[in-house]
Structure formats: C-alpha cells, structure tokens
Amino acid sequence: MKNFKKERAEARKKAKELVSKMTLMEKASQLKYDASPVERLGVPTYNYWNEALHGVARAGVATMFPQAIGMAAAFDEEEMKKVGDIIATEGRAKYNEYSKHGDRDIYKGLTFWSPNVNIFRDPRWGRGHETYGEDPYLTSRLGVKFVEGLQGEGPVMKAAACAKHFAVHSGPEAIRHEFDAKATMKDMWETYLPAFEALVTEADVESVMGAYNRTNGEPCCGHHYLMEEVLRGKWKFDGHFVSDCWAIKDFHENHKITKNARESAALALKRGCDVNCGNTYLHLLGAVEDGLITEEDITKSAERALTARYLLGLFDGSEYDKIPYEKVECKEHVEEALNVARKGCVLLKNDGVLPLDKSKIRTIGVVGPNADSRAALIGNYHGTSSRYITVLEGIQDEAGEDVRVLYSQGCHLYKDRVENLAWEQDRISEAVITAEHSDVVVICVGLDETLEGEEGDTGNSDASGDKKDLHLPKVQEELIEKVAAVGKPTIVILMAGSAIDLNYAQENCNGILLAWYPGARGGKAVADLLFGNVSPSGKLPVTFYKDLEGMPEFTDYTMKGRTYRYIEKEPLYPFGYGLTYGDVEVIDGKLMNQVTADSDIEVEVTVENKGNRATEEVMQLYIKDLESPLAVRNHSLCGFKRVFLEPGEKKTLSFTVANRAMTVVDEAGERHIDSRNFKIFAGISQPDDRSRALTGKKPAEINVTLG
C-alpha cells in the first residue's frame, strides 16, 4: 500500500517556505474552502470542495458508477481500486482543461471529499446509501482500496481522498446540527472508528472531514479526544482536516458550546481543523485580536492545507498534467461502471422465473414509478451522464424485435395520483391491464434521492431525508399487491439505497432483484441480469429487517440489536445474502497453520459450482469468539473473495485472516485477544439460520485454537 510519508515531508517543506512569505491575512485566507489567490507569490485561487462519491460529481459530464452502497454490494476490493483510479483520471482530465481556461470554481479541484465511511447502523438514515454498509470490516477494506485508487502510486498524488464524517455520525438528519451522539468507548472502537483507522493508518488518506454533530459532548469539528488524542496522536495522521460545510457555525448557533463566531473559529483551529467549509474562518483575524489564537496556529494549518496542493503537483506540475480530456466518460470507463452495476445487484428471491427466456415470452409488462426514471439511476452526489439507460429502456433493448414490451407508470413515486385532476391511483388500472396482457411482469419500485438523502437536499421534508419506517410509499405497496393479484409471473425490481420492507413481495412475487441506484447505464445492467447474459452475484452490505420492532430509537447510538453482528431476531434478508444462477457450495475448509496470539490465520476453502450456469460468487469468512464475554453477540466478517466458476468447476481459495479478527474490545475501548478458541465459518453467506434457509447451503466450519 502506498504511503506518501516521504512525499508529504517534501511537500510540507515547500509549503512551509511559501507560507513564511505570507502575511497573516494571506495565511488566514488559505484556510477557507475557497482559498483566495496570493498573486504576488504565484498562488492561484483554489477551491477544496469537490465530490467523487461514485464518479466525479457536480461539475458536468463524468462516468457515473452505481451509488456507493451498490458498489459495496459487489464485495470486490480490486474493483473499488479501479473505480477510484478511474475517478482520479477523469478528475485530472477535467482539472487540466478547467484550469487552462481559468476556471477554478467549486467542484473543479482535485481534493475529493470521498469516501463516506460512516457505519450504516440504522436503516432509517437517509444518507446510508452514501456508505459501504453496516460492517466495519467490509467498510474498511473497500474504503482502503477506493482511497488507494484515487490517490495513486506516487510520487505525485493523483487526487486527494477524504475520510468522512469523523466520527460517530449516522443520523438523524433533521437534528444533526445540534445533536449529541452518545457512544460507549466499546461501540466507538468496535464499530464506529475502525474504518477511519484503516484509511488513516493503511491507506494514508490525505484528509479527514469532521461531522456536524457532537460526539459524547464535544463537536466533531473541534473534538479534543477524536482529533487530538486519536487522529493526530494515536494514528499519527499527517494530512489536513476539513470541517463539514458550515459545521463550525453550529458551535455557537446550535450546540451552544461557544458564545460567538470568533470563539468557534478559535476552538476548531486549536483542535486541528485546517480548512473551513463555510465562512466562520473569516473571523480568524478577530480571534487573533481577542487573544484566542496566535498567528502560529494559523501558520500551522496554512502549511497543512498548502502541503496538499504541493503533494498534488499543483505548483510544480506532474505527469498527470498530460491526461487528456478524452478520458472523461470514455468507452472503457463506461464499461467498467456497467461491470460494477452488474456485480452489485442482489438477487433476493428466485423461484425459477429468472433468467427470462426470450424464446418462451411474447409480451413483457414493465410497470412502476422507477421503471423509466433517471432519478432512480443516479443516487445523490452525482455527476452528469451523456446518456442514461432506464430499466424500461434496458429491457426494451434486450427484448429485441420479437418480444413486445408494454409499459405503465403504475403510480406516482409517492403522491396519490399522477394527474392532479384525476382520481386517486389514476395509473393503477393501466398497470393491472398491462399485467393481464403480459406473459411476465416486471414491477420497478423504490425510492430516489428526493426521498432518501441528506438534510436540505431532499424533497422528504418531513424526515429531512431520513425514512420514518421501512415501508415503500403506500401507493407503491398497493401497486405491488394489485399487479401480483393478476397472477402472472411477477418480478420486483427494487431501486433504493437502504433496507425496505419486502415481506409482501417475498411471500407473493416470483423474483426480487435489488438494483440499488445502479448508475447512468444501470438499466442495461439490470436487463443483462434479468435475461441471463450475466449471473447476479451481489451480496447485501446491510441487513434487511422484517420490521423495526425492538429496534432502539434512531437517536440511540448503542449497537445492541442493530446490524448482523448484534441482531437478536430473525431478519428478512441477512447481511451477506444474495443468490446467483449457479449453485456454488463450499465442499471443504481447513486451517493451514498453527495459530498463535501473534499470528494471522491461514485458511483454504474449496468451492464447487454444482449448477448448470457459470457464475461469480462471493466467498465469505466469519469468525466467532467462543469464550470471551466481550465478543460481539453473533459473529463478524473477517474475509471475502470473488470467484468465477463454470458449471461443474472446482477451485481452492486461500485466505489470510488478520490477527485483529481474533481481538475483542473492552469497555474502555482497548482491543486485545481474550480467548483461545474460535470458529471460522466459510460459505456463500453468513452462518445464521435465516441465510441457511434462504440459500439451502451450510457453511464449512473450521475450529481455531491458539497454540
């Protein structure tokens, strides 16, 4: 893994020299996200705010990958690295041309505020689809690879990544500006901090962004424990820290822990927040006047901020300056986005209806508000595509001339009618008619970024982007019931970024495919899977709960009862679950080394595709501590690997399970090994009863005893 320690030290020297020539006002002007030019020193204006959650965002055309949660469902580390590299390439191509034209606007720099490695702890959180799911191990592995791809191999950093939102941050959106997330040290170090630790200590991420909320009483953008003791102290973070946007003004306006903007700016700077997304740092000079901070404090942060620009070669130039504009949304990049979308879709149910056989079908009915929706393709924090392929269009293209495709919107996404003057559910009879005249029906339901997303960015004003419950809008639930009642083979396509109540569809429909927000050409990926051009192979990076009964309050940050590691009742669809068109089984799993308290665990797993279709499958390893009272309630993911198998093919896979997987976290937040006996489960899913019932497969069990 590339560490930029040496390059950062060189860049810091240059930044130090440059900053030494600046006046106090000039130094302070470099700490705003829209840093001012210092023309006498040859420093152009620079805007630190850019987004790249699943493609270069908000600055025109770029390749649009599936939303982050959909990429996570691929369970593919190397794919994530490729995605990061493509985003960096396109970011460079755009930056090169924009800067030639003197365009240094917002969203046009090379400091990307991605990835979001918060833990999707509660299915109600509207921004959960920006994350890699509910598991700290999966989030860590995918996040590290994304950062590696984005930042490159050096010596110049290709683009700068940012780990956000540090830390203990996952809703509620409506009160995030005044909310205090209270977490035990055990939950912090067991769940909320590991992904940030991995990105800082393994991937050498260039920046970290603080969250809006308080954590255990302190605001996250001015947090002594998180920023000073943990980030800069324990983890030795040497990059720059940026606030979330206008989060520092919350110190005095909402959190009420400072009296005014000068005090807020001083507190954030003193704690190590180098760049302010917002305008509170306009009060830095006033804070110096009041004796709240010194010029040295400002100098230190200016050096860190400008180090990033030197590290990116923005003053001295680099090979990346030659990346041409033609790389933006080029054929290879679009194909890769399609590939990720195919890998990330999750087949939740299939009674044999899939894949569709065109030779046996004359008419396909496609209904539902997301069938022909571009908004349902894109998620949030997205760029612009030069072409979109909706699910309807994908099915039409794939069906060809010999199969008729009938279409009905069926209902509005959430309103009780499509036409304002019409009766309620004015499209539902058309949907029923469409089903009656079809051999097979595909119902496309779900959400989009107007219903789940960030506070202020969605039309879901009642919950500020969060969901009140797990249900689809009532009009969509009625649509599914009415269409399924026709009695034709019915497949549900769910386009959403979070766990949804699919109890009715599971009981009454023949197939269910979760497409997430699959990216600009996502409709083609869905059609490829429906018609069997490719086998589905995605796995759930989140638990789909049957309901919210027994779930702690949304504002309660305890992990008890949440996510697959702590769940106490049977889920609808478990984390790690997903079907394929193959029939892959683990036929052997064995331990390959003598394990000690200081060693890793070496495991070999043999798998076979006993089906008649080629498929990729995700092999998963879970570990259970058999002795320690400090262990998580259930078990934890500790390894995963994709494997392609032809019908009848066998392969043996080698896994190294890191020593850390055997550790537990105590109430003080300290991590250590507290047991001699463990069990590793190797399979195509978790080892829980629900996964076994849904897949009909039992994982191999490997006993591990420390020598």
Side-chain angles (χ1 to χ4, degrees):
M1 293 182 181
K2 174 62 183 171
N3 185 300
F4 284 91
K5 191 172 182 182
K6 181 183 166 195
E7 292 90 341
R8 193 176 275 111
E10 287 297 314
R12 182 67 54 81
K13 268 190 210 169
K14 293 176 181 176
K16 207 170 181 122
E17 186 182 344
L18 179 62
V19 171
S20 71
K21 298 172 185 173
M22 292 182 180
T23 66
L24 175 58
M25 184 176 285
E26 287 168 342
K27 291 174 192 175
S29 76
Q30 299 307 299
L31 305 188
K32 303 179 294 141
Y33 73 96
D34 51 344
S36 301
V38 185
E39 290 172 7
R40 67 185 185 84
L41 296 176
V43 178
T45 186
Y46 181 76
N47 200 304
Y48 283 86
W49 187 347
N50 205 352
E51 304 286 356
L53 186 62
H54 53 117
V56 182
R58 298 181 173 177
V61 171
T63 301
M64 190 192 297
F65 291 88
Q67 176 60 298
I69 195 78
M71 293 196 289
F75 276 65
D76 193 330
E77 291 180 84
E78 291 312 309
E79 194 68 70
M80 288 303 298
K81 188 170 182 179
K82 276 188 205 171
V83 170
D85 180 61
I86 286 171
I87 291 171
T89 296
E90 295 197 6
R92 278 283 177 173
K94 291 168 81 72
Y95 175 82
N96 292 343
E97 291 300 320
Y98 283 137
S99 54
K100 273 184 203 171
H101 288 76
D103 187 352
R104 298 179 182 276
D105 197 3
I106 191 170
Y107 311 130
K108 292 172 182 174
L110 290 168
T111 38
F112 290 116
W113 291 350
S114 301
N116 181 343
V117 291
N118 291 128
I119 296 301
F120 197 175
R121 69 179 176 100
D122 190 296
R124 289 165 283 199
W125 187 34
R127 297 189 73 180
H129 57 102
E130 297 176 28
T131 76
Y132 300 138
E134 70 184 37
D135 182 63
Y137 177 79
L138 179 66
T139 300
S140 299
R141 294 308 95 214
L142 299 181
V144 162
K145 288 297 182 181
F146 183 82
V147 170
E148 284 182 4
L150 206 59
Q151 296 192 164
E153 299 301 320
V156 171
M157 193 174 273
K158 196 170 185 181
C162 175
K164 69 181 189 184
H165 309 82
F166 190 62
V168 194
H169 172 78
S170 50
E173 288 292 300
I175 56 172
R176 64 183 184 174
H177 298 285
E178 70 259 17
F179 180 65
D180 186 10
K182 292 183 171 68
T184 65
M185 292 299 281
K186 181 172 173 61
D187 278 341
M188 282 179 73
W189 286 97
E190 198 168 75
T191 298
Y192 295 117
L193 294 181
F196 288 98
E197 182 178 7
L199 266 60
V200 170
T201 61
E202 295 180 45
D204 197 18
V205 69
E206 165 53 26
S207 72
V208 172
M209 177 184 283
Y212 284 111
N213 55 279
R214 279 169 288 148
T215 292
N216 296 336
E218 292 189 80
C220 291
C221 292
H223 203 291
H224 167 67
Y225 178 72
L226 288 173
M227 295 169 70
E228 295 181 301
E229 286 191 38
V230 175
L231 187 62
R232 299 274 183 203
K234 190 170 184 175
W235 296 344
K236 310 296 181 194
F237 175 64
D238 198 28
H240 70 279
F241 192 100
V242 59
S243 77
D244 208 336
C245 297
W246 281 265
I248 296 174
K249 78 170 185 173
D250 286 339
F251 290 12
H252 55 279
E253 289 189 1
N254 297 305
H255 296 308
K256 309 290 187 187
I257 53 108
T258 54
K259 292 191 185 74
N260 53 45
R262 289 185 179 188
E263 286 190 8
S264 297
L267 175 61
L269 193 74
K270 279 282 195 186
R271 294 283 190 255
C273 182
D274 304 305
V275 175
N276 173 208
C277 182
N279 54 17
T280 311
Y281 274 12
L282 294 174
H283 295 271
L284 285 175
L285 297 184
V288 173
E289 281 176 20
D290 290 353
L292 299 171
I293 53 172
T294 65
E295 180 169 355
E296 187 182 343
D297 295 322
I298 291 174
T299 299
K300 188 191 296 183
S301 284
E303 288 170 0
R304 284 185 189 141
L306 282 156
T307 295
R309 291 164 70 179
Y310 272 110
L311 201 52
L312 288 161
L314 303 190
F315 293 113
D316 302 328
S318 72
E319 284 296 302
Y320 300 132
D321 298 344
K322 298 173 186 173
I323 294 176
Y325 190 73
E326 284 68 25
K327 284 287 185 184
V328 175
E329 208 193 27
C330 64
K331 183 181 177 185
E332 295 78 15
H333 293 177
V334 170
E335 188 53 48
E336 199 57 50
L338 264 173
N339 190 37
V340 181
R342 293 183 191 107
K343 287 183 173 184
C345 290
V346 185
L347 184 60
L348 298 173
K349 180 180 180 181
N350 184 22
D351 69 358
V353 70
L354 293 172
L356 298 175
D357 185 345
K358 283 186 275 189
S359 69
K360 296 177 181 175
I361 298 171
R362 290 171 301 168
T363 307
I364 299 173
V366 179
V367 304
N370 275 348
D372 200 31
S373 168
R374 287 185 172 187
L377 298 174
I378 61 180
N380 66 355
Y381 282 90
H382 55 80
T384 302
S385 179
S386 65
R387 187 183 178 205
Y388 298 84
I389 301 176
T390 66
V391 170
L392 173 64
E393 291 165 339
I395 290 172
Q396 287 170 330
D397 291 345
E398 186 58 39
E401 295 296 319
D402 297 329
V403 178
R404 176 75 191 274
V405 177
L406 300 177
Y407 167 64
S408 170
Q409 185 180 346
C411 65
H412 189 274
L413 188 67
Y414 60 90
K415 293 179 184 176
D416 66 2
R417 68 202 74 200
V418 173
E419 297 292 341
N420 290 336
L421 299 180
W423 292 351
E424 287 185 12
Q425 283 289 54
D426 54 325
R427 290 289 182 269
I428 204 156
S429 60
E430 183 188 44
V432 169
I433 293 163
T434 298
E436 289 171 344
H437 288 260
S438 300
D439 299 316
V440 62
V441 187
V442 177
I443 311 178
C444 295
V445 293
L447 310 174
D448 63 25
E449 68 169 329
T450 66
L451 294 183
E452 62 173 347
E454 185 170 6
E455 175 253 350
D457 282 355
T458 72
N460 179 17
S461 57
D462 287 347
S464 296
D466 294 327
K467 299 187 311 188
K468 288 182 174 178
D469 53 40
L470 302 183
H471 287 280
L472 288 169
K474 202 171 177 182
V475 289
Q476 294 191 44
E477 292 189 331
E478 185 184 347
L479 175 69
I480 295 172
E481 290 174 16
K482 288 284 175 67
V483 171
V486 173
K488 297 297 178 71
T490 303
I491 300 144
V492 172
I493 307 290
L494 176 66
M495 302 174 80
S498 56
I500 299 289
D501 183 338
L502 291 174
N503 286 288
Y504 183 88
Q506 175 64 24
E507 288 297 317
N508 296 280
C509 298
N510 305 91
I512 305 172
L513 182 71
L514 171 57
W516 309 105
Y517 302 128
R521 295 352 187 246
K524 174 167 173 47
V526 169
D528 282 338
L529 297 168
L530 290 178
F531 288 96
N533 299 335
V534 184
S535 169
S537 58
K539 303 290 180 179
L540 289 179
V542 290
T543 300
F544 270 50
Y545 304 89
K546 284 184 177 173
D547 52 52
L548 290 176
E549 190 179 337
M551 179 78 69
E553 286 296 316
F554 191 11
T555 51
D556 183 348
Y557 266 69
T558 181
M559 291 307 298
K560 181 177 166 57
R562 284 192 165 100
T563 78
Y564 79 94
R565 295 191 303 157
Y566 308 96
I567 196 169
E568 296 175 12
K569 62 178 196 172
E570 186 177 81
L572 179 61
Y573 304 119
F575 173 95
Y577 166 67
L579 303 172
T580 73
Y581 294 151
D583 183 16
V584 178
E585 280 190 25
V586 174
I587 56 176
D588 190 29
K590 54 190 176 185
L591 186 64
M592 302 303 290
N593 68 324
Q594 175 67 45
V595 182
T596 69
D598 299 317
S599 72
D600 295 332
I601 307 170
E602 304 294 337
V603 171
E604 271 191 3
V605 180
T606 302
V607 295
E608 181 181 3
N609 183 3
K610 295 182 176 179
N612 56 12
R613 286 182 174 270
T615 188
E616 277 196 289
E617 181 58 273
V618 179
M619 299 312 305
Q620 302 165 50
L621 300 189
Y622 293 84
I623 190 166
K624 183 166 182 63
D625 185 320
L626 300 177
E627 294 173 353
S628 177
L630 295 168
V632 299
R633 183 184 190 275
N634 300 319
H635 41 259
S636 297
L637 183 71
C638 61
F640 58 91
K641 195 173 283 189
R642 275 192 164 257
V643 58
F644 179 82
L645 294 162
E646 294 285 355
E649 186 177 11
K650 288 183 191 177
K651 283 184 181 173
T652 298
L653 309 175
S654 297
F655 290 86
T656 299
V657 177
N659 176 271
R660 180 185 174 104
M662 294 186 285
T663 62
V664 293
V665 177
D666 64 23
E667 297 304 329
E670 297 297 325
R671 186 178 286 277
H672 60 277
I673 291 177
D674 191 42
S675 174
R676 288 191 64 243
N677 291 295
F678 304 85
K679 192 183 287 287
I680 288 179
F681 302 90
I684 60 168
S685 69
Q686 274 188 75
D688 65 301
D689 291 342
R690 179 63 173 162
S691 294
R692 294 181 191 195
L694 287 166
T695 63
K697 302 285 193 308
K698 187 178 172 185
E701 298 184 9
I702 304 165
N703 292 312
V704 178
T705 300
L706 299 190

